[in-house]
Amino acid sequence: MVIGVTHVLLALFGVAVGIVFGAVPGMTATMALAVFLPLTYAFDMAESLYLLLGLYVGGISGGLIPAILINIPGTPSSLTTTFDGYPMAKRGEGERALKLGITVSLIGGLISLVFLAVLTPQLALLARQFSAVEKFLIIFFAMTVIAALSKGALAKGIFAGFAGVLIKLMGYMATNNKPRLLIPGTESVLRSGFQLLPVLIGLFAIATLFKEAETGMKYSKSDMVETSKDAPKFKVSQLRGQGVNIIRSSLLGLFMGILPGVGGSAASLMAYSQAKTWSKHPEKFGSGIDDGLVASESSNNALTGGALIPLLSLGIPGDSTTAVLVGAFMLQGLQVGPLFITENPEIWTSILVALLVCNLLMFLVMYYPIKWIAKIVQIPKGRLYPVILMMCVVGAFCCRSGVMFDVWAMLIFGVLAYFMGKFKFPTAPFLIGFILGGDLEQYFIEALQGSRGSFEPFFTRPGAIIIWVCIIASMAYVVYDNMKDHKKAKAAK
């Protein structure tokens, strides 16, 4: 594939905007993807990938800026960056900490890219042997991700996930063209159901705007730690002795990214704890030691490539951000899953090249002008959010070339997500249920048609048995993990 100037410029734009969304507390990479998803209508799939992956990489990387300078993780995966990054900034070493974090973020991203290129085709090749039965069970297994994403609120997460499935099924059935799950009077506007784009924007952009408006969008510049003029500068030679830490943390981040539903915060926490366990000076962790910052940032950027492996090979989104990426593929008419690589070899190559370009651009954009990039955390939200709101409304309105109902749908789902947050219902399971609901129904019908109404193949085919083992193991782990957390909370009281 030939890389054009347009591709690089779109990647640069995506990385720069993603960094802003990652660096401003309250905004995330998921929100960046949701807001800018409508722009992909103006480009082909390859160009869209450079923009979206730029937003993804930039959004994850930008989280280290507020984590180090104001002790607020810009993204969940930057939580452990605050442990040692902020103490370094308080010593006046903010610039050195930022450059160290950016450098190891690049290394972690490149390591995950190598494994993405090697592992994804192998998994996809295995999954190509699946019949409709195995495909249904794979989607059902993906639904168990809902439980993993609902830590501490298992029942609410499962309820939200299946509510997403039900809402996805609203509309006319493809098999007999009859309405189902429709409120009387909505047959005309919901003939093809709710559109994905307004739902995405509502869940992750409008709901965030409501939440930020409630708190007043206040920010105090006094929260930001200034870098001392006499502080030591970052040099690449300071990475000596960090090789094992970087590789171990990157591989942990990669592995945790492959596991659907685990998330970036768990990846960085595990990498941080392992770095502390194997360190010769564990007592220094939390006081501003390089090892802790290196472990956190290399793991959370390695997560980006890891999360794409189950997404592209099996069609399983591991978190809300990769679920939005599924939405981007669907809007372009592409289906992620076992056949994705063989049917779209040029798009697969574009993904690998785009990730490489985006990681390199992330380093260049953040490393050299870091003094000015760091001032992103001082952008007044009161000026930034009205622009975002305008972009959301225009994006939803243009979804089907000017259907006003899509704007109302965006607002409806924004209000829904806002109140879900109030009552502690997780949003990500709802989105995953909405995205997977259609495939869940389609493969179930195909499997029953192929077996003439018999459920026997669901439990007797070798592939099905293996997937059932994975489903049971996944649910058992989630129940065990929730019970363990419940006991800890009870003991703390």
Side-chain angles (χ1 to χ4, degrees):
M1 177 199 165
V2 178
I3 305 175
V5 176
T6 304
H7 298 92
V8 177
L9 290 177
L10 284 170
L12 180 61
F13 175 76
V15 167
V17 172
I19 290 170
V20 173
F21 273 76
V24 176
M27 297 165 65
T28 61
T30 306
M31 183 179 178
L33 286 164
V35 170
F36 283 87
L37 202 52
L39 279 182
T40 59
Y41 282 119
F43 308 108
D44 60 31
M45 190 63 219
E47 292 172 337
S48 300
L49 281 170
Y50 279 83
L51 172 62
L52 295 172
L53 291 175
L55 290 165
Y56 185 27
V57 172
I60 298 296
S61 305
L64 68 84
I65 297 175
I68 290 172
L69 297 182
I70 58 176
N71 203 29
I72 299 175
T75 59
S77 56
S78 299
L79 173 64
T80 52
T81 302
T82 63
F83 297 170
D84 288 284
Y86 187 63
M88 291 171 73
K90 289 207 301 184
R91 292 201 303 259
E93 299 178 22
E95 182 180 338
R96 192 181 82 84
L98 288 167
K99 288 187 173 182
L100 174 63
I102 294 164
T103 303
V104 296
S105 291
L106 172 65
I107 298 172
L110 294 179
I111 290 175
S112 72
L113 175 59
V114 172
F115 281 87
L116 173 67
V118 173
L119 294 180
T120 306
Q122 301 304 317
L123 276 176
L125 187 63
L126 175 66
R128 284 177 62 187
Q129 311 301 320
F130 290 168
S131 68
V133 172
E134 284 86 6
K135 289 177 182 178
F136 166 77
L137 290 175
I138 280 288
I139 299 295
F140 188 67
F141 174 56
M143 294 292 290
T144 66
V145 171
I146 287 171
L149 290 172
S150 311
K151 192 172 182 178
L154 185 59
K156 291 181 177 179
I158 293 173
F159 176 84
F162 283 94
V165 172
L166 289 175
I167 289 178
K168 175 62 178 179
L169 298 181
M170 293 177 69
Y172 280 66
M173 292 187 68
T175 53
N176 56 20
N177 202 32
K178 290 184 179 180
R180 62 174 173 194
L181 302 176
L182 291 177
I183 300 170
T186 62
E187 290 86 358
S188 60
V189 293
L190 285 177
R191 187 172 189 86
S192 57
F194 286 103
Q195 300 301 301
L196 178 61
L197 187 58
V199 173
L200 282 173
I201 296 174
L203 291 176
F204 294 104
I206 300 300
T208 302
L209 294 179
F210 285 148
K211 183 179 178 181
E212 292 294 318
E214 183 183 28
T215 59
M217 304 188 200
K218 295 178 181 178
Y219 174 78
S220 173
K221 290 186 179 181
S222 61
D223 294 336
M224 183 172 172
V225 178
E226 296 291 340
T227 298
S228 172
K229 294 181 180 179
D230 301 325
K233 303 296 181 182
F234 171 72
K235 297 178 181 178
V236 178
S237 59
Q238 293 171 5
L239 289 176
R240 288 178 183 171
Q242 295 289 349
V244 174
N245 188 13
I246 292 173
I247 294 173
R248 179 181 60 237
S249 300
S250 298
L251 292 178
L252 283 170
L254 174 83
F255 176 71
M256 299 296 274
I258 293 174
L259 298 177
V262 175
S265 55
S268 56
L269 280 167
M270 176 173 283
Y272 188 88
S273 65
Q274 288 299 310
K276 185 176 182 179
T277 300
W278 291 97
S279 174
K280 295 179 180 179
H281 308 285
E283 72 282 354
K284 293 184 179 180
F285 276 70
S287 63
I289 187 174
D290 289 3
D291 302 49
L293 181 60
V294 166
S296 176
E297 284 305 311
S298 56
S299 64
N300 66 38
N301 265 60
L303 187 85
T304 56
L308 290 174
I309 293 175
L311 176 71
L312 298 175
S313 60
L314 302 175
I316 301 177
D319 55 19
S320 57
T321 309
T322 49
V324 175
L325 283 175
V326 173
F329 284 109
M330 292 173 67
L331 291 173
Q332 291 283 348
L334 294 175
Q335 182 74 35
V336 292
L339 298 177
F340 175 77
I341 295 176
T342 54
E343 292 181 351
N344 307 280
E346 290 188 3
I347 299 300
W348 166 240
T349 304
S350 296
I351 290 173
L352 298 178
V353 176
L355 268 177
L356 174 62
V357 171
C358 290
N359 273 284
L360 294 174
L361 287 175
M362 175 276 296
F363 177 78
L364 294 174
V365 169
M366 292 184 69
Y367 187 88
Y368 293 102
I370 191 61
K371 290 183 179 179
W372 295 276
I373 292 290
K375 297 185 184 297
I376 289 174
V377 296
Q378 298 179 356
I379 296 176
K381 293 182 183 179
R383 296 180 183 177
L384 190 62
Y385 277 48
V387 177
I388 293 174
L389 178 60
M390 180 189 69
M391 293 176 62
C392 291
V393 173
V394 171
F397 185 70
C398 295
C399 173
R400 288 187 289 180
S401 302
V403 177
M404 191 61 194
F405 176 76
D406 291 331
V407 177
W408 290 114
M410 175 193 73
L411 294 174
I412 289 169
F413 282 99
V415 172
L416 175 65
Y418 172 75
F419 282 105
M420 284 175 67
K422 285 289 183 183
F423 292 99
K424 309 299 182 184
F425 283 86
T427 307
F430 180 89
L431 175 62
I432 291 176
F434 184 85
I435 287 177
L436 297 179
D439 288 337
L440 193 71
E441 179 194 42
Q442 176 189 340
Y443 291 134
F444 182 68
I445 292 173
E446 289 180 4
L448 286 180
Q449 288 175 341
S451 63
R452 298 181 180 180
S454 172
F455 285 91
E456 184 180 348
F458 287 91
F459 304 97
T460 56
R461 289 176 62 90
I465 294 173
I466 294 173
I467 299 171
W468 273 117
V469 171
C470 294
I471 291 170
I472 294 169
S474 174
M475 294 304 297
Y477 173 76
V478 169
V479 172
Y480 167 75
D481 198 35
N482 275 268
M483 289 176 62
K484 186 174 67 173
D485 287 346
H486 180 70
K487 288 180 180 180
K488 285 183 180 179
K490 193 173 181 180
K493 291 180 181 179

